[in-house]
């Protein structure tokens, strides 16, 4: 584990088991619907690894459309407000859309994405997040599929980054506070 990671929150094995369960749940939900009309929309960049693992467990036909949104650029640890970096490149009118993201924190990213996609008249619009920080998103904002509820800590690994680092870590871990928040000065002047 890199020294900047304070502790492991979720291991790669736990993630793999949960991704398989989510895929079963998703497959059951879309069973009976016209599966020719499913479009998965992973939100880049953080969800790439989660989406790739999830897609490999989904037995049905699907189109994939990509959107890129950034809320925590560089060394930001609080949301700067979501910026749409890349617009969806496929037509989703009349299709069943499943948005896939790695984490639901303040909910601003998914809020923007759902507004954008809702305007395109999909047949249905659902959301799947691997992680959800309890109590952070607006009340009533409930994703259809959630991997893990987590505490309010800054997490990295399995696609999630801090200043472009740690995306390739197989586990999800808590970033040491001193890395992103200056430690309290050892002595202060009066
Ligand atoms: C992260 C993450 C989610 C979003 C969630 O993206 O991938 O998309 O933040 O935060 P919110 O619920 O507070 O809006 P980030 O801005 O770090 O971009 P990235 O995916 O390219 O790393």
């Amino acid at each position: 584990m890199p020294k900047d990671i304070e502790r492991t929150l979720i291991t790669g094995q736990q993630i793999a088991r949960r991704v398989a369960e989510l895929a079963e749940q998703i497959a059951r939900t879309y069973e009976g619907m016209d599966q020719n009309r499913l479009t998965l929309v992973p939100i880049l960049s953080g969800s790439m690894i989660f989406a790739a693992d999830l897609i490999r467990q989904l037995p049905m036909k699907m189109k994939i459309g990509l959107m890129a949104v950034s809320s925590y650029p560089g060394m930001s640890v609080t949301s700067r407000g979501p910026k749409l970096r890349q617009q969806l490149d496929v037509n989703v009118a009349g299709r069943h859309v499943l948005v896939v993201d790695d984490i639901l924190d303040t909910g601003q990213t998914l809020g923007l994405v759902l507004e954008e996609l809702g305007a395109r008249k999909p047949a249905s619009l659902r959301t799947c997040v691997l992680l959800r920080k309890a109590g952070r998103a607006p009340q009533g904002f409930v994703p259809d599929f959630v991997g893990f509820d987590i505490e309010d800590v800054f997490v990295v690994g399995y696609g999630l980054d801090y200043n472009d680092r740690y995306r390739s870590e197989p586990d999800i871990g808590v970033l040491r506070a001193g890395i992103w928040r200056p430690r309290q000065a050892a002595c202060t002047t009066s």
Side-chain angles (χ1 to χ4, degrees), residues 29 71 88 129 175 185:
T29 300
S71 299
L88 184 71
V129 296
L175 190 66

Side-chain angles (χ1 to χ4, degrees), residues 43-48 68-74 76 78-83 85 100-111 113 136-137 154 159-162 164 167:
I43 306 305
L44 302 177
S45 305
S47 76
M48 280 177 64
V69 180
S70 174
S71 299
Y72 300 77
S76 316
T78 53
S79 176
R80 300 283 170 94
K83 298 272 176 309
R85 302 279 180 212
V100 177
D101 208 354
D102 50 356
I103 185 165
L104 173 67
D105 188 336
T106 64
Q108 293 182 66
T109 301
L110 275 188
V113 166
R136 295 270 295 162
F154 197 86
L160 293 116
D161 78 308
Y162 170 68
D164 298 332
R167 287 200 201 271

Side-chain angles (χ1 to χ4, degrees), residues 51-68:
D53 284 347
L54 186 67
I55 287 165
R56 281 180 286 195
Q57 301 272 346
L58 288 173
M60 61 269 235
K61 184 176 168 181
M62 71 192 84
K63 283 193 193 299
I64 296 174
L66 301 172
M67 280 178 89

Side-chain angles (χ1 to χ4, degrees), residues 7 32 59 63 68 76 80 92 107 112-114 121-122 139 141 144 149 168-169 177 180 183 186:
R7 64 193 156 98
K63 283 193 193 299
S76 316
R80 300 283 170 94
V92 292
L112 173 70
V113 166
L114 293 181
K121 306 276 184 275
Q139 264 198 339
F141 191 104
D144 298 275
D149 278 310
S168 55
E169 288 300 314
W180 55 273
R183 288 181 197 285

Side-chain angles (χ1 to χ4, degrees), residues 25-37:
Q25 234 180 303
I26 291 168
R28 270 200 308 275
T29 300
Y30 288 100
E31 208 172 32
M33 286 192 203
D34 180 359
Q35 290 195 357
N36 287 333
R37 290 195 296 138

